[in-house]
Amino acid sequence: MRSLVLIGHGSHLNGESAVAAYRYAELIRARGLFDEVIEGYWKEEPSLRQVLKTTASTDVTVIPMFISEGYFTETVIPRELGLGHQGPVPPEGIARVIGGRTVRYTPPYGVHPGMADVIVARAREVLPELGPDGPADGVETALIVLGHGTTRNENSSRVIYENAARLRERGLFSEVHALFLDEEPRVTGWADLVRAPRVVVVPFFASEGWHTLETIPEELGLSGVVTPFPDTPHGPQQVHYARPVGTHAAVAEVILHLAEEARGAGGPGGDTERGHEAAWQAFLTLARRGARIGELLVTPELGVFEIRNALDEGRPGGDLMTLVTPEGVRDRVRFTDGGEHRPVHTLRSLPRGWRAVLNEADLRRAVHYTYPAVVEETYAHGCHALRPTPWATTARRQTGIYAKVQRAVPEQVERVAERVCGGCLRTRLWAGDRLTHSFLDGVPGGMPCAEACTFLVAEVREEVARKKAAAAS
Ligand code: SF4
């Protein structure tokens, strides 16, 4: 049995941030090579601290969905997963045994040599003449691999140079240049540098966004996918502008390569993780009788299960939108009725107006999407196996912009927690609160919170910053 975990950054504010990881997880899931494909996030749920608990097997491969190495892939993700590793990750990844699971952690997909193929695939989309040996029409064509570039992270430019060198060797293009938005050599100087009459620009970016849709076209003076430049230092030239590499479906192949390389001669895989399975069996025993978990009502019906917001209990099914897949549930419960993003799923804001009809296997996945890690943590709490992490420990661990939460005094943390956690179903074990009954004992809102979530950490940081600003004024 094998589990694959894709780690994205996620966002406390923007619901679209998680979509890329979902999309690649779906593509890989459809291939059936792993028993499960799970997504985890820094700023959404399941969080980095929880995600390993949500995996069903003892053989777990974790891949950071980042375009380059850096602070998140080398510091934040390994730290939060509890890998006991900091710093660069070798190409074959690192392996650790954590809580009975063998966890393999790989470099981010963006640094894999297979990304050169993704660059070519993107180039081909805007230049169909590009054959296996170069442009079929014989027109000299240059390739620009365009990176963001930053003086703070030399890894982000290194991956651009490496890909440019690989593609130079392949000889598909008459010239291959590595250019950047924010460092030299800058893409704005392309016309002085590139001689070929045809130029393909492929942004080496993780996603479509402000840079790929606005900054780059503006800085280059592009008017669409193909822009003629009749008068450059090297004569008339034509620029073909491709979409970012990070959103190409071929990235799924790169992810699979990374996973295989991390396993090496890894054998047949692991076993079912016993604690995880026991938690879900406890949940299913409950579900077969009909249950409430948080705001969710689970009703068994002729061999399948119906789930809906408990506030919609009694409403005719025809009045509600009927969903039939766990992914449909996932996409519905990620937003409130008002359309606001829900980075913490146990906040009391589960949307209404829908129902899902699911078989038992899909019920598990739908409940995972609705309340990530809640079944596993609640069961562990019932077995006295969930260890709370006090606020001071969480704060001490923070780095980067969140390091300032270490300056928060207990009254500040409590004030913020009252506001944030007051709207959450979970009981703050990390603050010393006690949870005597859980939804597994028939108390729907009984769910433990073993550790302050990143949403709360971010709010405490805001509070510290506000106090400092007020003191200075
Ligand atoms: Fe909920 Fe507060 Fe725990 Fe975050 S820290 S999960 S808001 S109880």
Side-chain angles (χ1 to χ4, degrees):
M1 190 174 190
R2 297 173 62 191
S3 303
L4 179 68
V5 177
L6 305 183
I7 299 291
H9 187 282
S11 166
H12 292 149
L13 303 171
N14 175 8
E16 294 310 305
S17 174
V19 170
Y22 284 145
R23 188 164 158 265
Y24 289 121
E26 278 168 29
L27 283 172
I28 295 171
R29 211 173 277 133
R31 303 276 292 269
L33 299 171
F34 289 84
D35 295 279
E36 62 176 6
V37 185
I38 304 255
E39 310 88 8
Y41 301 94
W42 169 227
K43 288 192 167 182
E44 294 184 36
E45 291 181 321
S47 73
L48 298 176
R49 300 293 285 176
Q50 301 165 328
V51 71
L52 292 178
K53 296 176 197 166
T54 71
T55 56
S57 88
T58 57
D59 181 313
V60 183
T61 303
V62 181
I63 299 186
M65 297 300 293
F66 287 73
I67 201 87
S68 66
E69 293 154 317
Y71 173 61
F72 282 105
T73 64
E74 296 180 353
T75 302
V76 175
I77 300 173
R79 180 191 75 207
E80 298 293 302
L81 290 178
L83 290 175
H85 172 93
Q86 291 282 273
V89 177
E92 68 279 12
I94 54 172
R96 297 283 186 276
V97 176
I98 302 174
R101 291 173 172 91
T102 299
V103 179
R104 298 180 180 83
Y105 178 67
T106 76
Y109 77 86
V111 304
H112 192 275
M115 287 304 289
D117 294 328
V118 183
I119 295 172
V120 173
R122 276 293 188 224
R124 203 162 269 138
E125 286 174 347
V126 292
L127 188 68
E129 298 88 342
L130 185 60
D133 302 315
D137 57 6
V139 177
E140 278 195 13
T141 304
L143 171 71
I144 294 175
V145 184
L146 174 56
H148 188 286
T150 162
T151 47
R152 281 175 299 154
N153 180 7
E154 63 187 37
N155 290 330
S156 95
S157 45
R158 196 184 67 212
V159 72
I160 307 299
Y161 285 116
E162 285 174 354
N163 277 301
R166 280 183 199 117
L167 290 165
R168 218 169 273 133
E169 268 177 32
R170 288 196 195 180
L172 291 178
F173 301 92
S174 57
E175 305 163 47
V176 180
H177 300 273
L179 300 181
F180 301 93
L181 267 188
D182 277 1
E183 68 179 56
E184 297 293 344
R186 287 179 196 269
V187 69
T188 42
W190 73 270
D192 293 327
L193 207 64
V194 182
R195 294 172 176 278
R198 194 162 59 190
V199 185
V200 181
V201 178
V202 179
F204 201 82
F205 281 63
S207 59
E208 201 80 86
W210 182 56
H211 281 311
T212 58
L213 295 173
E214 293 184 37
T215 322
I216 299 169
E218 252 175 53
E219 293 203 2
L220 299 189
L222 304 180
S223 54
V225 173
V226 182
T227 308
F229 288 85
D231 189 19
T232 74
H234 299 291
Q237 288 178 300
Q238 197 178 58
V239 172
H240 296 235
Y241 182 51
R243 296 183 56 212
V245 290
T247 54
H248 196 286
V251 168
E253 297 300 324
V254 175
I255 294 168
L256 289 172
H257 281 304
L258 264 173
E260 286 313 309
E261 286 158 16
R263 272 175 59 79
D271 301 315
T272 300
E273 209 285 323
R274 277 186 298 180
H276 181 273
E277 188 55 24
W280 282 97
Q281 288 308 325
F283 168 75
L284 289 172
T285 302
L286 193 71
R288 288 178 199 126
R289 296 196 300 262
R292 278 269 316 267
I293 163 169
E295 295 177 280
L296 203 61
L297 180 69
V298 183
T299 310
E301 276 181 4
L302 302 171
V304 293
F305 295 87
E306 192 221 50
I307 58 173
R308 60 169 72 185
N309 189 316
L311 293 175
D312 287 330
E313 186 171 13
R315 281 182 69 184
D319 288 359
L320 307 172
M321 177 201 292
T322 299
L323 308 169
V324 292
T325 63
E327 285 73 23
V329 174
R330 175 197 70 198
D331 294 341
R332 187 73 191 87
V333 302
R334 289 174 56 226
F335 299 94
T336 66
D337 279 325
E340 284 171 19
H341 175 44
R342 301 177 70 233
V344 180
H345 285 230
T346 44
L347 290 176
R348 290 189 193 88
S349 54
L350 189 71
R352 298 181 59 181
W354 60 276
R355 66 195 273 267
V357 181
L358 303 159
N359 64 28
E360 200 166 275
D362 283 349
L363 173 71
R364 274 174 71 148
R365 294 186 53 226
V367 170
H368 163 82
Y369 281 133
T370 309
Y371 290 127
V374 163
V375 169
E376 294 89 344
E377 291 193 334
T378 304
Y379 182 79
H381 177 65
C383 300
H384 308 286
L386 184 69
R387 267 222 321 259
T389 304
W391 167 261
T393 308
T394 302
R396 241 189 338 264
R397 220 178 51 232
Q398 304 304 313
T399 52
I401 62 168
Y402 293 109
K404 65 169 58 139
V405 301
Q406 291 157 13
R407 298 207 296 267
V409 296
E411 294 73 26
Q412 277 177 305
V413 178
E414 190 50 35
R415 197 161 48 242
V416 176
E418 269 174 27
R419 174 167 52 81
V420 175
C421 306
C424 185
L425 290 159
R426 291 186 185 249
T427 297
R428 292 185 296 144
L429 306 184
W430 57 265
D433 293 351
R434 294 193 56 205
L435 178 68
T436 49
H437 296 287
S438 75
F439 70 88
L440 290 172
D441 312 315
V443 178
M447 302 173 176
C449 177
E451 179 166 340
C453 64
T454 62
F455 186 61
L456 181 74
V457 171
E459 291 291 313
V460 171
R461 172 182 174 268
E462 291 293 317
E463 170 78 9
V464 172
R466 249 193 316 270
K467 279 275 167 219
K468 192 174 170 205
S473 63

